[in-house]
């Protein structure tokens, strides 16, 4: 049986998920905006700073009056960083001013406190100043109506700080992709239940749910079904009715019998495939009542790697997250790989850019996957690699 | 006035926050464990896999009986990946078996379906198998009692998947550091309020709160106070009574008057300092009723950079997050820097490892900080740098 190249399935999933890139906007309170992506250019309704103020603790003066410094000026009071409009500065006087305090009308420069000496009601200015020195002008950071955070920005604390400085209390951000996760398999039991013969715990729903959230999407629900097609369809309907925009399934797509996902979705036009890939050969894509469904194999390692390869890159792009890092590393020990299959081996990064494999290639080694920190990406046509060979790795 | 080197304050804050590194553990449901740090070694209560099962869709056989392949064996049924104990395999027979299904007693190898042909009730095995081939043994991933996730691991989806496979429904993780943020300044108003003369929006509480969360700590509350010392003390008491383990303040620590943080905490033994740093000279540390207090200046850019320099590295370490990335870059245009001050300029990373400054050095340029993606770290003793010089940068 001819196996489909990984890149072809990657393209198929990418095309299936393309409509998700057009997001609706939603409005959230500013403090809930961390990590969200702005849906529109956000403009500041006020100039920043909103009023002319002092950059230093010092004395507000007329620059022209200190041009012949040293010079002594009568001290006429003090302006704090506090609400209210200060009195205009009378010609021939200086006023003590704090950092951030509004400059009085008439003043056009600030003399830092370290360049002055106060004696009684006089302040001695030691050096001349030019107009505008140590003065923060209205709008010198941004004018009212200027874009403060452009559309498509993933909001970090510094963006929230700038938006808050503009008095913006709510932001329009792109809605997160709403994802449902469905595990299938009659051998599965829930965490906390007792394990009978032939039963295993459902780990895929936990792992995929967490992976969805880590990729910046919104997990709507997880569910589990055995091999009853009618229950699987009920879950799909409930996902669609619940507003899921993407459904991920695990299990039930092999060529064997009792394959509930394949049996349900293939008659509805699903594309069921066997990829030239290990682990994770069986894969499928479908559309159910207009909602894209990406179907992974049931082996825990297979389903997690399939998510990482096919769905995560798209979700991370939509969420404004950088792609997972990849880097070439030097193989510490030789390895062999099956012909005609792109193999993803679990490994440990070692010092000096080296890497060692961890556990075997089998798709049931969930603990080895947990202990790994990189994947080794071995191309289809490579069957043997000596120690010292360079391999492409993905950071986990 | 002699200014304190940045590194000295860095060490002072690090020492002040050292007790936070000893964390209490708390138990959370597995699905809430994403991104948390395990407090103890977690061992699997069951072997993984929990029962001997097939690695392939194929036929379970006795390896010795197919040693002389090709050989035909009577087919006696089918074992699915489903609950229940399969019947023992009678000598001289084969049974169809699905991936993940329990191997029957007596069988010790699986022949993949592609190496077989079924005719009626006979299966022809084309190639010999050795004992154990395509069989996943009990505990071949991990034995019961083995550590599945060691203490100190920041939980990713693959760890949650492995824990779920072990049936572990709750995890013991380190409690997050509980942080309170207090803004001070009588010129501050809340977002959404109208801005009067001399007033600015409180942006520090929003920016610091988000920065605390992004650093993996738990924001307990934010609060704001003018210049009334008695209200500031009430807020400190309320933070301590509310269980805050770290209090961050902004504003009120200059040498001027109306400096509510300095006036309140200096008599209680606060260390108030002016750093050889721009922006962000005035800094303080204190202990209030046993709780560490780190005090930043009030200028928004200063307070955000101060958090990034002094507090964030410790919080990220405690949360198991990697340190913020730093890299040398090539300056695109010349710059000058004040003598005797370590300067942190906002910049934009350019292609080919270059960097340009963005906005000026003043600490009120919040929009320029938002637009920046790197900080340029200019050492104290550097006053001029030509284009083409190498500068250290921090990723924002």
């Amino acid at each position: 049986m001819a196996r489909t190249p990984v890149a072809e399935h990657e393209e198929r999933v990418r095309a299936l998920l393309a409509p998700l890139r057009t997001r609706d906007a939603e409005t959230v309170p500013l403090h809930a905006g961390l990590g969200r992506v702005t849906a529109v250019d956000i403009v500041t309704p006020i100039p920043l700073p909103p009023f002319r103020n002092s950059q230093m603790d010092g004395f507000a003066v007329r620059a022209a009056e200190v041009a012949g410094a040293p010079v002594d000026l009568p001290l006429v009071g003090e302006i704090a960083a506090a609400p209210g409009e200060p009195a205009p500065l009378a010609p021939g006087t200086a006023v003590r001013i704090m950092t951030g305090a509004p400059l009085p009308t008439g003043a056009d420069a600030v003399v830092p406190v370290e360049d002055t000496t106060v004696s009684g009601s006089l302040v001695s200015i030691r050096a001349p100043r030019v107009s505008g020195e140590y003065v923060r002008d209205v709008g010198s950071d941004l004018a009212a109506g200027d874009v403060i955070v452009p559309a498509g920005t993933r909001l970090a604390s510094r963006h929230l700080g700038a938006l808050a400085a503009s008095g913006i209390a709510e932001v329009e951000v792109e809605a997160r992709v709403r994802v449902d996760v469905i595990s299938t398999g009659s051998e599965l039991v829930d965490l906390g239940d007792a394990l009978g013969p032939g039963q295993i715990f459902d780990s895929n729903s936990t792992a995929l749910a967490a992976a969805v959230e880590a990729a910046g999407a919104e997990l709507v629900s997880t569910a589990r079904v055995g091999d009853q097609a009618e229950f699987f369809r009920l879950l799909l309907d409930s996902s669609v009715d619940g507003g899921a925009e993407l459904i991920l399934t695990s299990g039930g797509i092999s060529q064997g019998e009792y394959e509930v996902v394949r049996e349900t979705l293939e008659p509805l036009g699903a594309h069921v495939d066997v990829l030239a890939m290990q682990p994770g050969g069986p894969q499928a894509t479908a559309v159910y009542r207009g909602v894209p469904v990406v179907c992974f194999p049931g082996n825990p390692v297979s389903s997690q790697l399939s998510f990482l390869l096919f769905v995560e890159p798209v979700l991370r792009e939509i969420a404004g997250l950088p792609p997972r890092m990849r880097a070439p590393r030097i193989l510490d020990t030789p390895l062999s790989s099956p012909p005609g299959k792109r193999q993803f081996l679990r490994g440990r990064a070692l010092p000096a850019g080296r890497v060692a494999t961890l556990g075997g290639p089998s798709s049931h080694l969930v603990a080895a996957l947990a202990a790994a920190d990189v994947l080794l990406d071995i191309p289809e046509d490579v069957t043997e690699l000596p120690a010292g060979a360079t391999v492409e790795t993905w950071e986990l």
Side-chain angles (χ1 to χ4, degrees), chain A residues 154-287:
Chain A
R154 187 163 185 271
L155 292 170
S157 58
R158 67 187 189 281
H159 303 114
L160 300 185
L163 294 168
S166 304
I168 293 168
E170 294 183 323
V171 273
E172 219 174 324
V173 293
E174 290 184 356
R176 279 187 286 232
V177 179
R178 294 165 56 84
V179 184
D180 263 18
V181 169
I182 303 176
S183 293
T184 72
S186 63
E187 74 277 28
L188 301 180
V189 300
D190 288 333
L191 302 189
D193 284 358
L195 211 56
Q199 293 183 320
I200 58 172
F201 290 110
D202 170 22
S203 64
N204 285 339
S205 60
T206 298
L208 291 175
V212 161
E213 293 188 318
E218 181 184 344
L219 177 78
V220 181
S221 75
T222 61
R224 183 170 67 72
V225 69
D227 52 14
Q228 309 97 321
E230 66 276 26
F231 291 155
F232 180 57
R233 277 192 88 129
L234 281 177
L235 286 184
L236 291 172
D237 283 329
S238 146
S239 288
V240 174
D241 295 339
E245 300 172 280
L246 169 62
I247 301 171
L248 304 176
T249 70
S250 64
I253 50 168
S254 291
Q255 295 306 311
E257 295 172 39
Y258 321 109
E259 301 291 336
V260 67
V261 174
R262 187 172 52 72
E263 286 162 20
T264 304
L265 294 176
E266 209 164 28
L268 302 175
H271 184 101
V272 182
D273 224 337
V274 180
L275 304 192
M277 166 176 166
Q278 186 181 38
Q283 302 278 348
T285 54
V287 175

Side-chain angles (χ1 to χ4, degrees), chain A residues 18-318:
Chain A
L20 298 180
R21 292 172 185 275
T22 309
R23 311 293 311 145
D24 284 338
E26 63 182 7
T27 300
V28 299
L30 190 63
H31 64 80
L34 184 67
R36 303 296 297 272
V37 176
T38 48
V40 292
D41 286 347
I42 305 180
V43 299
T44 173
I46 58 168
L48 288 176
F51 53 86
R52 201 171 61 135
N53 68 86
S54 176
Q55 191 177 326
M56 303 290 278
D57 289 345
F59 297 89
V61 297
R62 286 175 163 80
E65 293 178 355
V66 302
V71 65
D72 289 357
L73 292 175
L75 193 51
V76 296
E78 177 173 282
I79 308 171
E85 195 91 61
L89 183 70
T93 67
V95 62
R96 189 188 291 269
I97 192 165
M98 304 299 158
T99 305
L103 226 70
T105 307
D108 65 349
V110 172
V111 185
V113 69
E114 47 266 41
D115 293 345
T116 63
T117 316
V118 175
S119 344
S121 62
L122 280 187
V123 55
S124 303
I125 310 288
R126 277 198 288 277
R129 295 290 152 188
V130 297
S131 180
E133 216 170 345
Y134 294 118
V135 173
R136 300 165 174 169
D137 259 324
V138 175
S140 54
D141 193 11
L142 274 192
D146 277 356
V147 172
I148 187 160
V149 177
T153 303
R154 187 163 185 271
L155 292 170
S157 58
R158 67 187 189 281
H159 303 114
L160 300 185
L163 294 168
S166 304
I168 293 168
E170 294 183 323
V171 273
E172 219 174 324
V173 293
E174 290 184 356
R176 279 187 286 232
V177 179
R178 294 165 56 84
V179 184
D180 263 18
V181 169
I182 303 176
S183 293
T184 72
S186 63
E187 74 277 28
L188 301 180
V189 300
D190 288 333
L191 302 189
D193 284 358
L195 211 56
Q199 293 183 320
I200 58 172
F201 290 110
D202 170 22
S203 64
N204 285 339
S205 60
T206 298
L208 291 175
V212 161
E213 293 188 318
E218 181 184 344
L219 177 78
V220 181
S221 75
T222 61
R224 183 170 67 72
V225 69
D227 52 14
Q228 309 97 321
E230 66 276 26
F231 291 155
F232 180 57
R233 277 192 88 129
L234 281 177
L235 286 184
L236 291 172
D237 283 329
S238 146
S239 288
V240 174
D241 295 339
E245 300 172 280
L246 169 62
I247 301 171
L248 304 176
T249 70
S250 64
I253 50 168
S254 291
Q255 295 306 311
E257 295 172 39
Y258 321 109
E259 301 291 336
V260 67
V261 174
R262 187 172 52 72
E263 286 162 20
T264 304
L265 294 176
E266 209 164 28
L268 302 175
H271 184 101
V272 182
D273 224 337
V274 180
L275 304 192
M277 166 176 166
Q278 186 181 38
Q283 302 278 348
T285 54
V287 175
Y288 187 84
R289 291 176 50 201
V291 175
V293 187
V294 182
C295 309
F296 305 132
N299 281 313
V301 174
S302 304
S303 66
Q304 291 182 52
L305 295 192
S306 301
F307 176 85
L308 185 151
L309 285 173
F310 303 121
V311 175
E312 183 188 273
V314 180
L315 293 183
R316 288 184 70 98
E317 271 176 54
I318 293 174

